């Protein structure tokens, strides 16, 4: 999900923690709520979006005081200001990666989902200085959790990170093709275990948004 907020860019990658029909309904509701929070509520700071979304979800599904609703949302949100080269980031069980000069930097969000959870402290907001040419990656866990390969095991994040670094010199459209082909080859005859989302953005303060995603 991408929003243009004045001169800033708001990028959101989210993955419902549920499956099947309940998970699909939760995903649709959260997409609508995020659009309302941003476009109607004019809330743009990443952690404030997550805090507001969690408050609405809990109020909607917990009106009778029942805490049995376990579905929620894992999400990462960034707000990029090209005038200051500053990015704000908040994550709910969802990290982001920045590749700079061939090195991958791992930024971790809060270890809690957007939803009912034993620990419901406010989400943290991180400020990150960007450099021209930095590549940002936001993603769900579906890519790295896929079973496959010769040993028919999970790919794991370590392998996923190496794949991103090795293809980082390519333009985003070519990276998308590489990631898609590798995933298909890795999966082989195994079933796909989860939805897959990988969102990539190359920072250039003088250019328009360059964005590709694999879903």
């Amino acid at each position: 999900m991408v929003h243009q907020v004045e001169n800033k860019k708001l990028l959101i990658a989210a993955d419902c923690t549920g499956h099947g029909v309940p998970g699909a309904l939760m995903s649709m509701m959260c997409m609508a709520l995020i659009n309302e929070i941003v476009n109607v509520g004019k809330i743009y700071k990443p952690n404030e979006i997550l805090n507001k979304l969690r408050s609405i979800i809990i109020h909607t599904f917990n009106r009778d005081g029942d805490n049995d609703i376990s579905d929620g949302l894992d999400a990462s949100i960034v707000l990029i200001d090209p005038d200051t080269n500053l990015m704000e980031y908040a994550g709910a069980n969802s990290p982001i990666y920045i590749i700079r000069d061939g090195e991958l930097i791992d930024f971790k969000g809060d270890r809690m989902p957007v939803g009912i959870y034993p620990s419901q402290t406010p989400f943290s907001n991180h400020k990150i200085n960007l450099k021209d040419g930095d590549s940002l990656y936001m993603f769900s866990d579906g890519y790295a959790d896929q079973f496959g390969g010769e040993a028919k095991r999970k790919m794991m994040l370590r392998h996923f990170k190496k794949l991103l670094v090795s293809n980082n010199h390519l333009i985003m459209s070519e990276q998308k093709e590489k990631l898609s082909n590798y995933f298909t080859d890795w999966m082989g005859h195994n079933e796909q275990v989860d939805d897959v989302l990988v969102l990539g953005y190359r920072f250039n303060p003088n250019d328009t948004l360059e964005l590709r995603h694999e879903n």
Side-chain angles (χ1 to χ4, degrees):
M1 189 179 297
V2 180
H3 292 267
Q4 186 73 33
V5 181
E6 298 175 351
N7 65 320
K8 300 178 182 179
K9 300 174 179 68
L10 184 67
L11 278 59
I12 303 172
D15 181 34
C16 180
T17 58
H19 295 279
V21 174
L25 291 174
M26 175 66 77
S27 297
M28 292 174 61
M29 186 191 76
C30 287
M31 287 180 63
L33 288 174
I34 290 172
N35 280 317
E36 182 176 348
I37 291 169
V38 173
N39 296 321
V40 179
K42 305 299 182 184
I43 297 175
Y44 308 133
K45 190 175 287 292
N47 67 321
E48 292 180 2
I49 295 174
L50 294 179
N51 288 331
K52 182 65 173 178
L53 180 60
R54 178 173 62 186
S55 176
I56 296 173
I57 289 174
I58 292 175
H59 177 74
T60 301
F61 289 101
N62 197 31
R63 290 176 178 172
D64 58 357
D66 184 3
N67 289 325
D68 289 339
I69 300 297
S70 59
D71 287 349
L73 206 71
D74 293 341
S76 56
I77 302 178
V78 300
L79 180 66
I80 299 172
D81 187 343
D83 293 335
T84 62
N85 293 0
L86 182 68
M87 178 176 75
E88 296 183 55
Y89 155 67
N93 276 340
S94 187
I96 61 171
Y97 298 155
I98 290 178
I99 298 181
R100 175 180 296 166
D101 300 326
E103 297 293 329
L104 186 145
I105 309 169
D106 187 346
F107 294 94
K108 301 184 183 299
D110 295 297
R111 298 185 65 179
M112 55 184 175
V114 183
I116 297 173
Y117 192 69
S119 174
Q120 292 181 9
T121 57
F123 286 98
S124 305
N125 203 63
H126 306 272
K127 294 184 177 180
I128 302 165
N129 290 314
L130 295 177
K131 292 177 60 178
D132 191 0
D134 282 353
S135 295
L136 165 69
Y137 297 94
M138 306 163 72
F139 48 89
S140 67
D141 57 5
Y143 199 103
D145 279 355
Q146 179 60 46
F147 285 88
E150 293 182 2
K152 300 187 184 302
R153 295 179 179 176
K154 282 187 178 182
M155 184 186 302
M156 306 300 288
L157 284 175
R158 182 175 61 179
H159 198 145
F160 178 54
K161 290 178 180 180
K162 289 182 178 179
L163 190 61
L164 291 177
V165 172
S166 65
N167 290 306
N168 180 249
H169 64 285
L170 301 173
I171 62 173
M172 285 295 173
S173 59
E174 292 175 344
Q175 290 187 49
K176 174 187 175 181
E177 184 176 1
K178 290 283 188 180
L179 287 174
S180 180
N181 291 341
Y182 189 92
F183 184 84
T184 300
D185 292 341
W186 173 269
M187 182 170 60
H189 297 293
N190 297 285
E191 292 186 2
Q192 185 172 330
V193 299
D194 202 356
D195 295 333
V196 173
L197 170 66
V198 180
L199 185 155
Y201 168 69
R202 181 104 64 191
F203 179 67
N204 183 334
N206 300 314
D207 282 351
T208 55
L209 185 67
E210 179 194 6
L211 178 67
R212 298 290 186 271
H213 70 271
E214 176 65 24
N215 193 358

